[in-house]
Amino acid sequence: MLTRIAATPDPTSAEIALAYHARTKHSLKRYAAGPETLDWDLQPNPFREFTGSARTSLPLTTDELSTSFAQVYGPTGVARPLTIASVAALLELSMGLSAWKELGPDRWALRCNPSSGNLHPTECYVLSASVPGLDDGLHHYVSRDHVLEQRCRRAGPSGASARLWIGFASIHWREAWKYGERAFRYCQLDIGHALGAVRYAAGALGWRARLVDDVANTALSAWMGLDRRADFAGTEFEDADLLIEIEPCAATAPARQERTPPSFDAAADHWTGRANRLDAHPLYRWPVIDEVSTATHGGATEAADVLSPHYPPLPEASAARAADVILGRRSAQRFDAKFTMSLDHFHRLLDCLLARPVAPWDVWTFAPRVHPVLFVHRVEGLAPGVYALPRHPEADKALRQALRPDFEWQKVESAPAHLPLFRLLAADCRAVAKTASCHQAIASDGCFSLSMLSEFEPIVGANAWRYRQLYWEAGLLGQVLYLEAEAAGLRGTGIGCYFDDDVHEMLGVGTTQFQALYHFTVGRPLTDDRITTLPAYPGRQRNERAGAAT
Ligand SMILES: Cc1cc2nc3c(=O)[nH]c(=O)nc-3n(C[C@H](O)[C@H](O)[C@H](O)COP(=O)(O)O)c2cc1C
């Protein structure tokens, strides 16, 4: 007689996401699985291109933008009309190059959006309708050349008012090449940074931007032409991440319309281009990345999250030009370990992390779920120690229960009354901060570093897509810190390498209700004089007109 074997049910999407998270933790005892050797000469090409696509050279127009950094946070900037020249500025200030660097025989590009390991897995697409100077349809942005490659030209009419969307997709292999299984996390953090970069760039043009959060991955892929398998045959696949609706706040803005672009018409619309191959000889494969990627496709399934408390308006920000702050953003590689930052700058940096209905937090409708736990080393008038900034009153309660019972939870009286800053422990935590961030001195030499603790299992368990989205929130926090540090004459650095459960243990987090998703550090940078800085687009004139590129 045959015995019936009980079938093991397939894991749910949420189980796959949670299992991926668990297996890609670094710890003091072992790092997550990654390549054993790296040959830097074999690094995948950081620039995707589509051969056979018509290229439009974009003008360099950011010199014309007088918007101050302060105006990005308010409605006072002058809104630019939506034309190819302003689209060019939006792209330059978000995904464009900010400089080339040279050291001996090595030369590398830096971009306005940061990226773990400077590997840049994020690809950027533009969907345009009735934008003067730009054909209606889909374009791919090549940051190296500041050009748009035309992927699809729409045949039908696109309506009277100009509309614009930015789409992001990730080439996971670019990141996995160096970081192995943990790379999917970094790709999502990079997406959060890029989302923030677009929102700040839109602000420099007097515009707003909003994440379109409720569309299926199949629709995202179709809008970005990623479902056209033949165009990617034999090359690295791109995974569609998100779509951003650009809202030019011009006085003539049309009444609310569909938030998404129209679908393409396979029979009538005209597609061109084939993707280039980025790595001819990949040495490793990390199938777990494909699994978690598929499991976390989707979008928001729930209605808009709980709203944030009402905070007073942000204090006056830097009067510097927004474009200068954005183009000047860099990661510090070393910090002045003696420098003490001012309390005002510290408070402002934290204040900007609270979710107000201004840039960049108006980019989405989700309640804040990621809460910084700070390791304060040198801030004027503040005792060194561990501090918490619950970005939501409910999180305050939950964190008090989840973290070590002996933490003080002493409200910092010197902070602005609305700033939910609590001292948990007065201590010199430089050594601990350094160890927790994979022994990196940037975490102890900065004025402060932090761990972003996210509300986790209940949220991911309810909708696996939120695994990506929580990382985007952490990346957004990082982008605010980068730009605010820059505006204050300081500098930040994202830290993707940290020992997950060792951090949890140190803070007393015993369950997966909260998990650390990202670390960050801020301080006064020490620059390496051996490195030469070269212009982002040598030989290109500023303010030249858009035109066909060779
Ligand atoms: C998600 C993320 C993780 C990062 N992790 C680290 C890190 O662990 N250590 C480090 O020194 N830099 C880290 N960085 C900084 C990158 O190396 C840096 O962004 C990249 O080299 C590009 O330089 P730029 O930021 O000056 O443009 C990280 C950046 C991001 C966005």
Side-chain angles (χ1 to χ4, degrees):
M1 196 175 118
L2 288 175
T3 326
R4 201 178 259 274
I5 300 173
T8 319
D10 285 341
T12 64
S13 302
E15 283 165 352
I16 293 172
L18 296 171
Y20 168 81
H21 188 74
R23 72 182 272 161
T24 53
K25 288 179 174 178
H26 286 330
S27 86
L28 277 161
K29 295 198 194 80
R30 66 157 196 102
Y31 285 89
E36 272 147 35
T37 53
L38 272 187
D39 182 347
W40 283 97
D41 291 336
L42 297 180
Q43 180 185 344
N45 182 345
F47 300 105
R48 167 132 282 167
E49 288 171 85
F50 288 89
T51 40
S53 290
R55 299 180 119 215
T56 303
S57 175
L58 296 172
L60 296 165
T61 56
T62 55
D63 279 359
E64 294 167 16
L65 300 178
S66 56
T67 315
S68 71
F69 191 63
Q71 286 172 319
V72 169
Y73 291 106
T76 47
V78 178
R80 294 265 156 174
L82 182 47
T83 64
I84 190 167
S86 47
V87 173
L90 179 79
L91 292 169
E92 187 188 342
L93 290 181
S94 53
M95 307 302 286
L97 302 193
S98 53
W100 281 93
K101 294 277 177 179
E102 244 176 37
L103 177 63
D106 297 323
R107 190 167 184 268
W108 64 98
L110 294 181
R111 311 191 195 187
C112 287
N113 59 315
S115 169
S116 185
N118 203 23
L119 298 172
H120 289 285
T122 312
E123 290 299 319
C124 175
Y125 290 88
V126 172
L127 285 137
S128 58
S130 303
V131 175
L134 204 54
D135 280 339
D136 291 351
L138 175 70
H139 311 262
H140 172 250
Y141 181 58
V142 186
S143 60
R144 184 193 57 207
D145 308 327
H146 195 45
V147 303
L148 283 177
E149 297 175 317
Q150 186 172 76
R151 287 283 289 133
C152 182
R153 200 177 68 240
R154 275 192 206 279
S158 287
S161 56
R163 308 283 310 271
L164 191 79
W165 293 264
I166 301 290
F168 287 148
S170 297
I171 303 180
H172 298 142
W173 176 244
R174 280 217 188 98
E175 202 72 22
W177 169 80
K178 180 173 178 201
Y179 294 115
E181 292 195 347
R182 198 169 160 101
F184 180 77
R185 298 179 176 209
Y186 297 161
C187 291
Q188 302 312 315
L189 288 171
D190 279 11
I191 289 287
H193 279 284
L195 177 60
V198 166
R199 178 61 189 92
Y200 275 100
L205 288 147
W207 302 347
R208 290 162 55 114
R210 290 234 306 165
L211 176 66
V212 183
D213 55 34
D214 55 356
V215 284
N217 183 265
T218 43
L220 284 177
S221 299
W223 281 317
M224 290 184 247
L226 308 179
D227 55 352
R228 298 176 57 80
R229 293 284 163 163
D231 296 349
F232 291 85
T235 74
E236 296 76 6
F237 169 71
E238 293 183 27
D239 184 40
D241 289 294
L242 56 80
L243 188 71
I244 308 166
E245 181 191 16
I246 303 296
E247 299 178 338
C249 321
T252 54
R256 289 266 9 103
Q257 318 167 45
E258 273 295 303
R259 294 197 56 211
T260 51
S263 312
F264 288 111
D265 178 340
D269 295 334
H270 182 60
W271 286 86
T272 48
R274 286 187 65 125
N276 61 341
R277 176 126 191 207
L278 307 173
D279 185 351
H281 304 290
L283 280 182
Y284 291 86
R285 270 186 50 75
W286 307 107
V288 73
I289 292 187
D290 299 335
E291 281 165 31
V292 69
S293 162
T294 307
T296 54
H297 282 159
T301 48
E302 60 273 33
D305 237 330
V306 202
L307 287 174
S308 312
H310 190 74
Y311 299 113
L314 277 172
E316 196 52 24
S318 159
R321 252 180 15 113
D324 290 335
V325 174
I326 291 170
L327 290 166
R329 185 211 61 78
R330 302 276 185 277
S331 293
Q333 276 144 16
R334 283 173 58 226
F335 286 106
D336 178 348
K338 296 220 158 51
F339 177 77
T340 299
M341 75 183 283
S342 82
L343 193 58
D344 281 353
H345 280 148
F346 180 72
H347 288 155
R348 182 180 163 86
L349 271 173
L350 300 191
D351 218 350
C352 290
L353 303 181
L354 300 181
R356 292 177 170 82
V358 297
W361 301 107
D362 56 355
V363 87
W364 64 14
T365 53
F366 299 93
R369 298 292 177 193
V370 181
H371 313 285
V373 172
L374 302 116
F375 307 108
V376 173
H377 309 315
R378 286 175 315 283
V379 176
E380 212 173 56
L382 201 59
V386 184
Y387 291 76
L389 183 80
R391 295 173 59 240
H392 197 282
E394 294 299 315
D396 177 330
K397 277 189 236 152
L399 280 166
R400 280 171 199 255
Q401 280 165 14
L403 302 191
R404 274 169 50 171
D406 57 340
F407 277 157
E408 297 167 15
W409 287 96
Q410 183 78 40
K411 177 94 168 60
V412 177
E413 295 304 336
S414 56
H418 67 275
L419 198 67
L421 181 64
F422 298 91
R423 192 176 75 197
L424 306 185
L425 182 74
D428 176 351
C429 44
R430 284 175 296 178
V432 164
K434 180 178 172 183
T435 306
S437 288
C438 295
H439 311 290
Q440 299 184 78
I442 49 174
S444 54
D445 292 350
C447 296
F448 70 93
S449 59
L450 57 86
S451 179
M452 300 189 197
L453 266 194
S454 173
E455 298 168 45
F456 194 69
E457 183 151 352
I459 292 181
V460 178
N463 176 0
W465 170 78
R466 296 289 300 263
Y467 184 59
R468 291 175 183 246
Q469 185 260 354
L470 292 173
Y471 271 103
W472 301 347
E473 183 176 334
L476 256 171
L477 284 163
Q479 193 65 12
V480 176
L481 288 167
Y482 263 124
L483 291 176
E484 280 294 328
E486 201 71 41
L490 303 170
R491 202 149 263 183
T493 305
I495 302 182
C497 190
Y498 57 89
F499 298 127
D500 300 67
D501 283 341
D502 302 289
V503 174
H504 298 146
E505 199 184 315
M506 173 174 72
L507 299 175
V509 176
T511 70
T512 47
Q513 185 195 355
F514 286 93
Q515 293 283 279
L517 299 190
Y518 194 20
H519 282 196
F520 206 91
T521 178
V522 172
R524 183 160 79 178
L526 294 176
T527 43
D528 185 342
D529 295 334
R530 295 169 309 154
I531 300 177
T532 317
T533 303
L534 301 163
Y537 298 105
R540 292 275 299 271
Q541 299 291 317
R542 293 235 148 229
N543 304 323
E544 68 192 8
R545 293 169 72 86
T550 46

